[in-house]
């Protein structure tokens, strides 16, 4: 099953706010977001709470400028994965999208 990996710009957001703002490709099998798929520009304490159940109002402060957290999208065919890459790269908060399998 092809996998598309994303780098999501989370700067200025809290929790999984940036992920929830992403317009998902319509034909995905599954989609997951979190530091287990990579992260950058985050302090260790921020990585631990990224994409957790922390509500935005409970989060201490927004992610810093330059911070990103990864996501993984599973699709049924390689062709759909290529279409998904194009779909995600058109979105402002998506820094990078690549097919990895």
């Amino acid at each position: 099953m092809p996998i598309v990996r994303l780098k999501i710009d989370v700067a200025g957001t809290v929790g999984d706010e940036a992920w929830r703002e992403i317009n998902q490709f319509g034909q995905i099998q599954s989609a997951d977001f979190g530091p287990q798929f990579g992260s950058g520009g985050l302090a260790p304490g921020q990585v631990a709470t990224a994409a957790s159940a922390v509500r935005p109002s409970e989060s201490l402060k927004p992610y810093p400028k330059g911070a990103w957290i990864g996501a993984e999208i599973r699709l049924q065919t390689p062709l759909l994965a290529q279409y998904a890459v194009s779909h995600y790269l058109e979105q402002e908060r998506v820094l990078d999208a690549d097919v990895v399998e």
Side-chain angles (χ1 to χ4, degrees):
M1 182 175 292
I3 295 172
V4 173
R5 289 259 173 95
L6 307 175
K7 286 184 179 179
I8 309 294
D9 174 9
V10 295
T13 67
V14 293
D16 66 352
E17 179 182 357
W19 173 244
R20 289 183 279 117
E21 292 174 358
I22 297 293
N23 179 16
Q24 297 296 341
F25 186 67
Q27 299 176 330
I28 61 175
Q29 297 293 308
S30 67
D32 296 297
F33 169 78
Q36 66 269 31
F37 304 112
S39 64
L42 300 172
Q46 290 174 309
V47 172
T49 60
S52 70
V54 174
R55 295 181 181 185
S57 61
E58 297 172 357
S59 184
L60 297 176
K61 58 184 176 181
Y63 295 116
K65 184 176 180 178
W68 64 270
I69 297 175
E72 188 174 275
I73 313 296
R74 294 181 183 275
L75 298 112
Q76 194 165 5
T77 69
L79 182 59
L80 286 175
Q82 290 299 322
Y83 285 133
V85 166
S86 295
H87 169 83
Y88 287 110
L89 286 174
E90 291 176 356
Q91 298 183 55
E92 186 176 338
R93 286 217 173 256
V94 177
L95 302 173
D96 191 25
D98 288 304
V99 178
V100 294
E101 285 185 21

